[in-house]
Amino acid sequence: MSLKIPIETSARHVHICEEDFKLLFGEDASLHYVHELSQPGQYLCQERVTVVGPRGRFEKVAILGPFRKDTQIELSVTDTRKIGIPSVIRQSGDIEGTPGCQLIGPNGTIDLDKGVIVAKRHIHMRPVEASRAHVKDNDEVFVIMESYERGLIFADVVVRVSPKFKLAMHVDTDEANAFANDQSPTGAILKLFDGQTYSLQQWADEIQSGINR
Amino acid sequence: MSLKIPIETSARHVHICEEDFKLLFGEDASLHYVHELSQPGQYLCQERVTVVGPRGRFEKVAILGPFRKDTQIELSVTDTRKIGIPSVIRQSGDIEGTPGCQLIGPNGTIDLDKGVIVAKRHIHMRPVEASRAHVKDNDEVFVIMESYERGLIFADVVVRVSPKFKLAMHVDTDEANAFANDQSPTGAILKLFDGQTYSLQQWADEIQSGINR
């Protein structure tokens, strides 16, 4: 029995460290819970910030709680291009060497020298689901999407396994809009090349060279 | 030998009929050529319009010449959502039953009752290339994209064949941003299920039901 994976779209948002939050919202400010997100323990906050790049800005960007060790801004490629920041695809938390931006809150402004990422598409799952799907943490897999009129197969999808997770694949708004999805889209892991994603590029190269397997 | 297909990204733009153009720019106005586009005979114009939906607007949207029989506005799904227009995926020219919008020019405003589409991804090719690729006009194929870190395979790509065309695949900005592309990305037609795109959904359903072929 294969896994039917719910697909969730991540719109632009900010994870924030406590120190940066105090600079933006004031020494006595705290995060105000609005509602829970699909991953246990994560929640949308009432507080919003402005994200500024060299060519533009986004107002009222959502902050997700709880506090994290480092401030991280997740944008789509459409977003980064619009405000003039390089598009660097990274897993969440891996922000060394990424571009920075300016954040503006009601109480102050900070200039970050890193932290802006385009989140690499990924699947959250629990160990029991990983076992059923024959995958392990940090594997990269193909996912075939259900779509009513413009379907696609995503390569390079990272699997993240933890007992704290709930089964869901996260894509950004560009990725979600690239296939025509309905209200509750789902996907399934596709075993190609024994799960070796790098082979997609080899396959593409071979096809372009006229080699058909 | 397979075809190496250049991938071109279509940003939002407008094709316009002469009558609507005169209403927006004045009775004596004409299209002013800026530069040629990849498809022979098509060109970017100096004139720009504002596209207005129920929830927002885009200023300075490009007009592509020459005049067409019907006015048609091509947006990405990100765009349609932003200004509050339903996302209807169509081939160029097939605008019956599509949503409308308002267009504003320097000389007037028009309210269109149809014409806003999200262009269905497609490949322009000449008959000789179609023959080499073993496809014909209106076939739907899979295309495997070259990408350095987030690759994918597009299903439901329409082939359009005409001696007037130049080989190129056109995707919208969401689709282009969903795979990480370089300066001059290319793709190749992939023969799966003997070229039957509808089988992708059947395959997805089978995988989700636990059937592995």
Side-chain angles (χ1 to χ4, degrees):
Chain A
M1 185 64 189
S2 281
L3 288 174
K4 188 171 197 152
I5 304 169
I7 313 293
E8 298 173 351
T9 306
S10 299
R12 69 181 80 103
H13 63 269
V14 172
H15 299 286
I16 198 157
C17 70
E18 191 161 5
E19 187 189 345
D20 288 346
F21 182 78
K22 301 281 188 195
L23 289 169
L24 294 172
F25 289 86
E27 196 52 48
D28 299 327
S30 60
L31 290 172
H32 288 81
Y33 174 100
V34 176
H35 66 71
E36 197 167 310
L37 300 171
S38 81
Q39 293 308 309
Q42 303 290 306
Y43 58 93
L44 176 68
C45 300
Q46 205 176 298
E47 289 72 24
R48 303 259 163 168
V49 286
T50 298
V51 175
V52 184
R55 284 209 305 268
R57 63 176 57 201
F58 295 111
E59 316 267 356
K60 297 182 190 165
V61 177
I63 294 179
L64 306 189
F67 290 126
R68 296 230 178 152
K69 189 169 73 63
D70 296 300
T71 295
Q72 171 176 302
I73 297 91
E74 299 188 30
L75 302 177
S76 70
V77 175
T78 294
D79 288 342
T80 55
R81 289 194 170 166
K82 184 160 186 196
I83 65 172
I85 294 177
S87 314
V88 178
I89 296 164
R90 288 289 180 88
Q91 282 198 50
S92 183
D94 178 19
I95 60 167
E96 277 314 309
T98 57
C101 68
Q102 189 178 66
L103 295 181
I104 304 176
N107 244 59
T109 293
I110 47 179
D111 288 291
L112 297 169
D113 61 358
K114 64 184 176 188
V116 180
I117 67 168
V118 176
K120 192 170 170 72
R121 52 196 174 221
H122 57 278
I123 305 170
H124 293 278
M125 61 173 75
R126 294 170 302 151
V128 61
E129 290 149 348
S131 163
R132 274 174 59 196
H134 305 288
V135 293
K136 57 184 192 309
D137 195 41
N138 274 319
D139 274 2
E140 299 210 346
V141 297
F142 293 90
V143 177
I144 182 170
M145 314 301 287
E146 288 276 2
S147 162
Y148 55 90
E149 53 183 331
R150 55 178 195 182
L152 54 76
I153 299 169
F154 284 120
D156 305 300
V157 182
V158 186
V159 174
R160 299 314 311 264
V161 182
S162 163
K164 294 181 195 158
F165 289 155
K166 187 178 159 203
L167 183 66
M169 175 166 164
H170 287 178
V171 297
D172 67 23
T173 47
D174 292 331
E175 292 166 329
N177 290 339
F179 67 96
N181 51 25
D182 60 9
Q183 297 295 353
S184 41
T186 59
I189 292 174
L190 181 64
K191 293 299 177 78
L192 292 173
F193 320 117
D194 293 324
Q196 304 295 309
T197 291
Y198 71 85
S199 302
L200 182 75
Q201 285 319 306
Q202 195 184 320
W203 195 15
D205 290 339
E206 285 177 6
I207 288 170
Q208 293 202 356
S209 314
I211 300 166
N212 284 293
R213 296 202 272 191
Chain B
M1 184 66 188
S2 282
L3 287 174
K4 188 171 198 155
I5 304 169
I7 312 294
E8 297 174 350
T9 306
S10 299
R12 69 182 80 105
H13 64 270
V14 171
H15 298 286
I16 198 157
C17 70
E18 191 161 4
E19 187 189 344
D20 288 346
F21 182 78
K22 302 281 188 195
L23 289 169
L24 294 171
F25 289 86
E27 196 52 49
D28 299 327
S30 60
L31 290 173
H32 288 80
Y33 174 101
V34 176
H35 66 71
E36 197 167 311
L37 300 172
S38 81
Q39 294 308 308
Q42 302 290 306
Y43 57 93
L44 176 68
C45 300
Q46 205 176 297
E47 289 73 23
R48 304 259 164 169
V49 286
T50 298
V51 175
V52 184
R55 284 209 305 269
R57 62 177 58 202
F58 295 112
E59 316 267 356
K60 296 182 189 165
V61 177
I63 294 178
L64 306 190
F67 290 127
R68 295 229 179 153
K69 189 170 71 63
D70 296 300
T71 295
Q72 171 176 300
I73 297 90
E74 298 188 31
L75 301 178
S76 71
V77 175
T78 294
D79 288 342
T80 55
R81 289 192 170 169
K82 184 159 185 195
I83 64 171
I85 294 176
S87 313
V88 177
I89 297 164
R90 288 289 179 88
Q91 282 198 50
S92 184
D94 176 19
I95 60 167
E96 277 314 309
T98 57
C101 68
Q102 189 178 66
L103 295 181
I104 304 176
N107 244 60
T109 293
I110 46 178
D111 287 292
L112 298 169
D113 61 357
K114 64 183 177 188
V116 180
I117 67 168
V118 176
K120 192 171 169 71
R121 51 196 175 222
H122 57 277
I123 305 170
H124 292 279
M125 61 172 75
R126 293 171 302 153
V128 61
E129 290 149 348
S131 162
R132 274 173 60 196
H134 305 287
V135 292
K136 58 185 192 308
D137 194 41
N138 274 319
D139 275 1
E140 298 210 347
V141 297
F142 293 90
V143 177
I144 182 170
M145 314 301 287
E146 289 276 3
S147 161
Y148 55 91
E149 53 183 331
R150 55 177 195 182
L152 54 77
I153 298 170
F154 283 120
D156 306 300
V157 182
V158 187
V159 174
R160 299 314 312 264
V161 182
S162 163
K164 294 180 193 159
F165 289 155
K166 188 177 158 200
L167 183 66
M169 174 167 165
H170 287 177
V171 296
D172 67 23
T173 47
D174 292 330
E175 292 165 330
N177 291 339
F179 68 97
N181 50 25
D182 59 8
Q183 297 296 350
S184 41
T186 58
I189 292 174
L190 181 63
K191 292 299 177 79
L192 291 173
F193 319 118
D194 293 325
Q196 303 296 309
T197 291
Y198 69 84
S199 302
L200 182 76
Q201 285 320 306
Q202 193 185 320
W203 194 17
D205 290 339
E206 285 176 6
I207 290 170
Q208 291 202 357
S209 314
I211 301 166
N212 285 292
R213 296 201 272 192

